[in-house]
Amino acid sequence: MQTGEVRLWKLTRRQVREHLKQGHFKGAILPTGSTEQHNEHLAMEHDTASALHVACQAAAALYPHVVVATPMAVGISEHWMEWPGTLTVKKETFVTVAYEICDSLKRHGIEKIFICNGHAGNGPLREHMDEFSEKLGIDVRFHSYWEAYSKELVEEQLETKDCPAHAAEFETSFAQALFPGNVHWEGV
């Protein structure tokens, strides 16, 4: 499948303008993740990298109708602050930034926004989707990427039968398959 660039931050303003003029980019995917500890073996970018990968795959399949917005790489991670390197923002800050990104996209003609989440701590954003949709006058939805997997598939494929399970079998397998350089077994 040959597609064009789907990552907004990789496009020039001329390219974006031309896509919009041609009626492309009616939808956008906003990946949300975190920069936080993932046990001793996974890179701190795991949640963001995973959501971004899923978002780009979906947008490529829907090209040229969907663009991927710049990911929100810092999430609601207060629960991991005892581990150095973790970054966090307050829930209210996270919700405000997500809303303002959605507003920016809407102001450029985006009619539908899917927030593709990669960090369980960002779950409170889900509560604001009706509010976002009503205030913006467009369709805004939120799902964590692992919600796409059925219970049956998880039970069939995972020894632990647990998905997503922070830094455990699911996330580690995901990282090994897609970002092997982000899995560090030395000393674990």
Side-chain angles (χ1 to χ4, degrees):
M1 167 179 53
Q2 182 67 29
T3 65
E5 180 59 65
V6 296
R7 297 168 296 175
L8 179 64
W9 64 97
K10 293 285 193 175
L11 298 168
T12 66
R13 77 177 185 190
R14 185 191 76 231
Q15 290 169 321
V16 172
R17 181 178 65 246
E18 288 173 0
H19 273 289
L20 292 171
K21 192 176 192 177
Q22 293 171 28
H24 301 167
F25 297 166
K26 291 296 184 184
I29 303 174
L30 172 59
T32 59
S34 66
T35 300
E36 65 171 22
Q37 71 85 25
H38 275 82
N39 209 327
E40 298 293 323
H41 67 289
L42 292 181
M44 292 200 183
E45 74 165 352
H46 179 77
D47 292 346
T48 305
S50 298
L52 177 58
H53 176 80
V54 170
C56 288
Q57 292 296 305
L62 297 168
Y63 184 82
H65 306 291
V66 176
V67 66
V68 178
T70 306
M72 292 177 62
V74 176
I76 304 168
S77 298
E78 186 62 40
H79 53 287
W80 296 124
M81 283 304 292
E82 70 183 277
W83 303 102
T86 297
L87 303 176
T88 190
V89 294
K90 292 180 174 75
K91 173 190 165 192
E92 298 77 19
T93 303
F94 187 78
V95 170
T96 298
V97 171
Y99 176 82
E100 290 183 4
I101 291 170
C102 290
D103 181 53
S104 296
L105 292 165
K106 186 251 184 188
R107 289 166 57 186
H108 293 302
I110 302 295
E111 299 171 355
K112 296 179 184 213
I113 300 171
F114 175 68
I115 299 173
C116 180
N117 181 52
H119 169 54
N122 296 339
L125 184 57
R126 184 188 310 268
E127 304 163 15
H128 296 272
M129 292 303 97
D130 289 341
E131 171 193 346
F132 281 24
S133 293
E134 185 177 323
K135 285 170 79 173
L136 294 170
I138 61 173
D139 188 13
V140 183
R141 299 184 189 203
F142 173 99
H143 285 283
S144 297
Y145 75 88
W146 57 83
E147 293 172 333
Y149 302 108
S150 69
K151 182 180 177 185
E152 294 78 25
L153 180 68
V154 168
E155 288 181 8
E156 175 187 312
Q157 296 294 318
L158 297 178
E159 287 182 28
T160 61
K161 316 277 187 245
D162 197 4
C163 177
H166 183 78
E169 182 184 12
F170 174 76
E171 288 190 324
T172 300
S173 297
F174 201 96
Q176 283 187 290
L178 296 170
F179 326 112
N182 284 356
V183 182
H184 307 278
W185 291 114
E186 310 82 34
V188 175

